[in-house]
Amino acid sequence: MFRAMTLPVSEQRTVVEIFVEGRRVVAREGETLAAALLNSDVVPFRYTPVSGKPRAPLCLMGVCFDCLVEVDGAQNVQSCMVRVEAGMQVKIPRGARRAGDVK
Ligand code: FES
């Protein structure tokens, strides 16, 4: 569905790997986590706490909160607002945030 733009060689970024639900995903250093997940066909990003419906990024600018994921144990991270870092461990939230698990 989504495809990364081909950048000129002078602008190409280092390739890093992150892990989504334990699965290895290749990303480009500096891109947003949401972009990396969309480029790797990781959809949905979360399931709502009330209805369990799947959600995916909508605005990609920090407004809609439909891109929430868990990153390195931190819950409800807006994936469109964070940059990819090598070795990130990403989990897809299912249901409500776990109480007492604040990072
Ligand atoms: S996609 Fe809307 S807040 Fe991230």
Side-chain angles (χ1 to χ4, degrees):
M1 179 179 210
F2 292 92
R3 214 169 356 153
M5 292 176 18
T6 303
L7 298 173
V9 174
S10 61
E11 295 178 35
Q12 288 183 357
R13 299 176 180 163
T14 305
V15 172
V16 296
E17 64 181 23
I18 62 175
F19 299 90
V20 181
E21 299 282 331
R23 181 173 71 103
R24 182 179 163 270
V25 169
V26 174
R28 292 180 299 181
E29 195 170 66
E31 71 182 341
T32 66
L33 179 56
L37 297 179
L38 289 170
N39 279 330
S40 300
D41 294 327
V42 177
V43 177
F45 279 35
R46 68 182 182 101
Y47 294 88
T48 62
V50 175
S51 66
K53 300 271 188 194
R55 291 289 184 261
L58 179 64
C59 71
L60 294 171
M61 60 183 192
V63 176
C64 72
F65 287 77
D66 272 339
C67 65
L68 299 178
V69 294
E70 182 176 318
V71 178
D72 295 333
Q75 300 176 74
N76 291 349
V77 174
Q78 287 176 284
S79 59
C80 69
M81 302 302 288
V82 298
R83 303 257 177 220
V84 164
E85 292 176 18
M88 274 181 157
Q89 299 283 336
V90 180
K91 289 187 178 169
I92 306 301
R94 291 171 171 78
R97 180 184 176 135
R98 298 181 306 275
D101 221 13
V102 179
K103 260 197 170 181

